[in-house]
């Protein structure tokens, strides 16, 4: 159920924010989003976010890179034109493998790193002309903002948030075009 | 948090030592059954008989190339008497084999002694790094590390004693007969002579154990001190020791390990041996920590500490592989005869141990310890640790054996006996040392951070 109204609670301290998150979670309210100027250690755990799987994708990309390197060099150096270059044994891939290892290594790292970064951009929807999704510019400097959807419980929610140490509480209509 | 070596462990270790001694004695007895060239002739004839047509085939089809490769091979591995070739003073094939058979128990003893010594020295270096870096996670493990380093002094003296006892059975340059006929060794005799060998070795052993003695003393004194002066002292001594260590470790790896092949040299050999001792040392720290924790003695060690140790095992395993491969690939690529013979011997006669150790020391830990969750699971870390330790035993094996027994290697009673002997001794000394102080170095100013360390 999409709420049309959200409540924005603003904090000025990450410790206060952390305890607020725990309190709000304990009251079984759903936290839509939290905006912070810097990574707050343990925030994802407190919010109950699922762990990232980006390391797993990276491992798989690395395997792809290794395969690309092996297939490429096996074809070029061994199958297509097995020349004698300085007496290196180009009879089979294995015999000449030490010479290929630097490239195998670099391509593994290259694929693992770059594809993982691109995956990160795609999954977190970041690209050069992307419109910034920032409800309050102060959250990029020294304020923390917690966004909670409202379901006809404005007063109690606002009271709860005030209780957790929020310095500012705003109820805003959610702009459907923002995302 | 007090620990006392349990009777079961003590008896187990003593049984290991006794069994090991029997195995070593059997090794010497067995190898000295072959006293003369005639005995070897009988042995070789028997082997030919066993080999049957296979042997005949090899002689028939590859007779020529075999002879050629044999020539480079012996030249390379500095086995017993190839130096003689240079002077045209021939030694028969049987005599070579006889020497190799005689070398085996010495080499087996030396490999195992060096392996356990290197664990202790690796831990000492790791310990010094923790102090010098003022690491906040590791102080809870300091007493474990201190206990392992108790083996540095006895272990190093044992290695030196075996080196001198084995004499020319391990180090051909200790044989004046060989040196007299070998221009290459003569050229190196300013460094490779017994005076330098003993003098430097004793000096290094003194340096390592002096540091170990001092830092242990500071660590114990810090427990009951009301200020941090001992910690600061330990910090300064550790920083100084690391400088001393990296120089002496490098030189000792030339003296004790590389010089079994006095015709061969490699510039990154010191680093390579260092990586091996460092990763084995860290592995042993992790295993002993997990053991003590399983006994409920280290409740202040949490799985983040295990995770960090496993990360080190993982990272240094890869570092070892990097050095192994750099040494191998540079020599393979340029293929200069005087260098490459080292690897020809190994690939020709030690294919399985040589490449097997790469699998054990690289592929296995790489795949097993890459996952962050697995690094927190004790039995995963222990399993990886066992494979890494076996792999690094093989590493030392591959450094020593090809130069001393060449193709007459086998991991049999002398080798396993030696492992049991020094393994038992190692356990006895380490766990006795563990019992001598509380398991928590409570005076360390970083202790609180370390106790609450969380990754």
């Amino acid at each position: 159920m999409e709420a049309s109204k959200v409540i924005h609670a603003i904090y000025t301290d990450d410790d206060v924010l952390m305890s607020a998150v725990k309190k709000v979670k304990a009251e079984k309210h759903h936290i839509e989003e939290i905006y912070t100027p810097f990574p707050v250690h343990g925030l994802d755990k407190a919010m109950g976010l699922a762990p990232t799987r980006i390391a797993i994708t990276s491992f798989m990309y690395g395997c792809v890179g290794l395969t690309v390197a092996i297939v490429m060099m096996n074809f070029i150096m061994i199958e297509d034109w097995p020349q004698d270059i300085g007496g290196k044994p180009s009879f089979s891939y294995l015999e000449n493998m030490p010479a290929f290892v630097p490239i195998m290594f670099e391509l593994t790292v290259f694929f693992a790193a770059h594809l993982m970064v691109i995956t990160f951009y795609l999954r977190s929807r970041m690209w050069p002309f992307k419109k910034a999704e920032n409800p309050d510019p102060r959250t990029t400097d020294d304020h923390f903002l917690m966004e909670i959807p409202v379901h006809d419980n404005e007063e109690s929610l606002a009271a709860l948030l005030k209780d957790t140490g929020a310095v500012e509480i705003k109820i805003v209509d959610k702009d459907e075009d923002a995302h | 948090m007090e620990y006392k070596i349990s009777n079961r462990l003590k008896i187990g270790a003593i049984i290991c030592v006794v069994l090991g001694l029997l195995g070593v004695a059997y090794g010497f007895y067995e190898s000295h059954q072959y006293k003369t060239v005639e005995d070897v002739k009988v042995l070789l004839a028997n082997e030919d008989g066993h080999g049957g047509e296979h042997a005949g085939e090899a002689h028939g089809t590859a007779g020529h190339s075999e002879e050629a490769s044999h020539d480079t091979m012996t030249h390379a591995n500095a086995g017993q008497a190839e130096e003689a070739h240079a002077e045209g003073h021939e030694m028969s094939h049987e005599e070579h084999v006889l020497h190799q058979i005689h070398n085996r128990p010495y080499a087996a003893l030396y490999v195992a002694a060096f392996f356990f010594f290197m664990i202790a020295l690796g831990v000492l270096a790791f310990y010094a790094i923790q102090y010098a870096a003022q690491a906040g996670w590791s102080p809870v493990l300091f007493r474990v590390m201190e206990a392992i380093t108790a083996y540095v002094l006895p272990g190093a003296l044992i290695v030196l004693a075996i080196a001198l006892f084995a004499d020319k059975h391990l180090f051909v340059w200790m044989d004046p007969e060989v040196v007299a006929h070998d221009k290459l060794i003569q050229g190196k005799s300013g460094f490779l002579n017994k005076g330098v060998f003993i003098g430097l070795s004793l000096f290094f052993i003194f340096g390592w154990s002096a540091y170990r003695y001092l830092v242990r003393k500071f660590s114990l004194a810090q427990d009951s001190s009301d200020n941090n002066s001992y910690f600061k002292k330990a910090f300064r001594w550790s920083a100084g020791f690391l400088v001393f260590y990296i120089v002496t470790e490098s030189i000792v790896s030339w003296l004790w390990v590389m010089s079994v092949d006095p015709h061969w040299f490699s510039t990154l050999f010191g680093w390579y041996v260092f990586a091996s001792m460092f990763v084995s040392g860290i592995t042993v720290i992790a295993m002993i920590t997990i053991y003590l924790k399983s006994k409920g003695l280290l409740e202040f060690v949490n799985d983040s500490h295990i995770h960090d140790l496993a990360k080190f095992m993982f990272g240094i395993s890869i570092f070892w592989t990097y050095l192994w491969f750099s040494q191998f690939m540079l020599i393979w690529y340029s293929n200069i005869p005087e260098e490459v013979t080292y690897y020809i011997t190994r690939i020709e006669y030690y294919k399985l141990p040589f490449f097997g150790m790469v699998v054990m020391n690289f592929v296995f830990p790489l795949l097993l310890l890459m996952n962050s969750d697995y690094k927190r699971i004790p039995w995963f870390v222990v399993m990886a640790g066992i494979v890494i330790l076996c792999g690094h035993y093989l590493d030392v094996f591959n450094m020593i054996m090809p130069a001393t027994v060449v193709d007459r290697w086998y991991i049999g009673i002398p080798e396993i006996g030696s492992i049991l002997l020094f393994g038992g001794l190692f356990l006895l000394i380490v766990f006795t040392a563990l019992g001598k102080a509380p398991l928590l170095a409570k005076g360390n100013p970083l202790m609180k951070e370390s106790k609450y360390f969380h990754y």
Side-chain angles (χ1 to χ4, degrees):
Chain A
M1 190 172 70
E2 187 66 21
S4 57
K5 269 187 183 171
V6 291
I7 195 160
H8 281 171
I10 292 182
Y11 299 85
T12 51
D13 186 282
D14 50 339
D15 287 336
V16 178
L17 174 75
M18 278 296 282
S19 61
V21 169
K22 283 172 193 155
K23 231 180 246 174
V24 171
K25 288 300 277 187
E27 297 286 326
K28 303 251 186 282
H29 289 292
H30 170 70
I31 299 174
E32 184 77 26
E33 190 64 272
I34 293 181
Y35 299 86
T36 64
F38 52 78
V40 177
H41 190 77
L43 187 60
D44 52 341
K45 277 228 173 66
M47 287 171 73
L49 298 182
T52 172
R53 290 168 295 182
I54 200 150
I56 299 169
T57 66
S58 181
F59 178 77
M60 294 192 291
Y61 297 145
C63 293
V64 173
L66 185 63
T67 312
V68 167
I70 292 172
V71 171
M72 175 181 80
M73 285 183 295
N74 185 48
F75 176 71
I76 297 173
M77 302 303 290
I78 309 296
E79 282 174 9
D80 191 35
W81 199 358
Q83 286 193 97
D84 180 345
I85 303 168
K88 284 279 159 280
S90 50
F91 309 107
S92 75
Y93 191 78
L94 211 57
E95 275 173 284
N96 211 358
M97 198 188 70
F100 302 144
V101 166
I103 297 161
M104 288 155 64
F105 170 76
E106 292 295 347
L107 277 184
T108 308
V109 174
F110 178 87
F111 272 64
H114 288 82
L115 292 182
M116 177 175 75
V117 167
I118 292 169
T119 306
F120 169 72
Y121 286 155
L122 290 176
R123 288 294 287 147
S124 44
R125 300 159 193 277
M126 279 162 59
W127 54 86
F129 299 102
K130 157 100 172 178
K131 192 174 176 305
E133 299 167 9
N134 198 338
D136 190 322
R138 289 175 301 171
T139 59
T140 63
D141 183 13
D142 58 352
H143 284 62
F144 304 81
L145 189 149
M146 189 194 298
E147 183 178 292
I148 299 173
V150 178
H151 306 283
D152 307 321
N153 53 353
E154 281 176 36
E155 267 94 84
S156 64
L157 199 52
L160 172 71
L161 289 171
K162 196 85 207 161
D163 212 39
T164 59
V167 293
E168 210 177 301
I169 289 170
K170 282 186 294 194
I171 295 173
V172 288
D173 284 319
K174 206 162 181 186
D175 186 358
E176 295 298 337
D177 301 321
H179 296 276
Chain B
M1 270 167 274
E2 291 284 349
Y3 174 80
K4 264 275 155 299
I5 180 166
S6 67
N7 267 333
R8 222 158 44 141
L9 196 82
K10 206 184 233 167
I11 289 166
I14 290 170
I15 288 174
C16 280
V17 171
V18 172
L19 282 179
L21 276 174
L22 288 176
V24 169
Y26 175 77
F28 279 100
Y29 163 75
E30 189 199 29
S31 68
H32 284 80
Q33 281 184 319
Y34 304 97
K35 286 198 181 62
T36 62
V37 171
E38 296 310 310
D39 298 334
V40 175
K41 279 188 179 146
V42 174
L43 169 80
L44 291 177
N46 277 340
E47 278 177 0
D48 263 2
H50 283 301
E53 63 223 78
H54 178 72
E57 189 191 317
H59 278 294
T61 57
H64 190 69
S65 67
E66 196 184 62
E67 226 146 84
S69 75
H70 183 72
D71 203 45
T72 39
M73 210 67 54
T74 44
H75 200 72
N77 57 47
Q80 270 310 337
E82 66 284 353
E83 297 76 14
H85 284 290
E87 293 290 309
H89 143 153
E90 284 294 329
M91 193 185 260
S92 70
H93 177 58
E94 286 81 11
E95 210 170 338
H96 276 292
V97 174
L98 182 65
H99 282 303
Q100 290 163 8
I101 292 173
H102 283 176
N103 289 346
R104 186 176 158 203
Y106 294 99
L109 206 57
Y110 191 70
V111 169
F114 185 82
F115 173 69
F116 285 101
F117 152 73
M118 112 181 159
I119 291 173
L121 191 61
V123 172
L124 192 65
F126 188 72
Y127 181 71
I129 289 173
Q130 300 308 306
Y131 257 118
Q134 299 189 15
W137 67 277
S138 53
V140 290
L141 305 170
F142 274 3
R143 285 292 144 82
V144 176
M145 297 185 209
E146 285 165 15
I148 299 171
T149 57
Y151 187 74
V152 167
L153 179 61
L157 289 175
I158 289 169
V159 173
L160 182 60
I162 294 173
L164 296 175
F165 164 65
D167 198 60
K168 62 184 186 192
H169 287 289
L170 278 177
F171 303 97
V172 279
W173 55 265
M174 286 190 183
D175 188 352
E177 186 69 9
V178 170
V179 178
H181 294 287
D182 190 314
K183 284 226 165 61
L184 284 174
I185 301 184
Q186 282 165 20
K188 296 181 183 183
S189 58
F191 180 65
L192 289 184
N193 63 65
K194 272 194 178 173
V196 169
F197 187 87
I198 299 171
L200 278 182
S201 300
L202 285 177
F203 170 61
F204 298 161
I205 294 171
F206 169 76
W208 302 327
S209 17
Y211 165 72
R212 196 267 164 188
Y213 170 78
L214 283 174
V215 84
R216 166 80 164 178
K217 201 178 80 178
F218 296 149
S219 173
L220 292 178
Q222 182 67 52
D223 274 1
S224 50
S225 166
D226 56 355
N227 58 42
N228 287 334
S229 59
Y230 287 111
F231 174 77
K232 286 179 188 162
K233 271 188 195 155
F235 167 76
R236 281 193 217 110
W237 277 97
S238 299
F241 168 73
L242 285 171
V243 177
F244 177 80
Y245 167 80
I246 202 62
V247 175
T248 55
E249 187 277 331
S250 197
I251 297 173
V252 98
S253 66
W254 308 333
L255 276 178
W256 289 5
V257 187
M258 198 159 79
S259 80
V260 295
D261 278 299
H263 282 178
W264 182 80
F265 51 86
S266 162
T267 43
L268 63 68
F269 197 77
W271 275 109
Y272 174 66
V273 175
F274 161 74
S276 209
M277 66 169 64
F278 205 50
V279 69
S280 331
I282 294 165
T283 305
V284 170
I285 298 173
M287 291 170 84
I288 292 184
T289 305
I290 290 172
Y291 169 76
L292 290 174
K293 194 168 162 52
S294 76
K295 297 261 164 210
L297 292 161
L298 295 175
E299 76 274 15
F300 39 86
V301 170
N302 57 43
D303 64 353
S304 289
H305 294 111
I306 306 292
H307 183 271
D308 258 35
L309 285 170
K311 251 191 313 202
F312 266 108
M313 284 161 63
F314 174 74
I316 309 295
S317 282
I318 290 170
F319 178 62
W320 174 88
T321 315
Y322 166 66
L323 293 176
W324 174 85
F325 182 71
S326 299
Q327 181 168 286
F328 171 68
M329 194 257 228
L330 284 178
I331 289 172
W332 173 87
Y333 211 109
S334 57
N335 207 18
I336 299 169
E338 62 178 299
E339 291 179 351
V340 84
T341 46
Y342 184 83
Y343 286 110
I344 289 179
T345 326
R346 278 152 184 80
I347 292 175
E348 195 106 325
Y349 300 130
Y350 291 76
K351 204 166 227 132
L352 184 66
F354 186 67
F355 292 109
M357 78 173 172
V358 181
V359 175
M360 292 166 83
N361 291 339
F362 174 61
V363 181
F364 192 80
L366 178 86
L367 295 177
L368 208 66
L369 294 178
M370 195 183 312
N371 189 318
S372 185
D373 297 330
Y374 293 173
K375 286 196 274 258
R376 293 172 186 278
I377 303 173
W379 68 268
F380 251 95
V381 178
V382 170
M383 187 166 68
I386 289 169
V387 173
I388 290 175
L389 286 182
C390 293
H392 284 281
Y393 171 79
L394 271 187
D395 188 13
V396 183
F397 188 85
N398 279 319
M399 291 193 240
I400 303 288
M401 287 296 180
T404 49
V405 304
V406 197
D407 58 336
R408 301 246 141 219
W409 70 273
Y410 191 71
I411 299 193
I413 292 173
E415 285 79 10
I416 293 172
S418 309
I419 295 173
L420 285 176
L421 169 60
F422 293 110
L425 202 62
F426 180 84
L427 288 180
L428 210 56
I429 290 176
V430 168
F431 280 90
T432 309
L434 262 178
K436 283 188 181 153
L439 288 176
L440 184 68
K442 67 175 192 306
N444 193 300
L446 295 163
M447 187 50 77
K448 188 148 187 182
E449 175 180 349
S450 182
K451 272 186 181 172
Y452 294 100
F453 171 69
H454 166 77
Y455 171 74

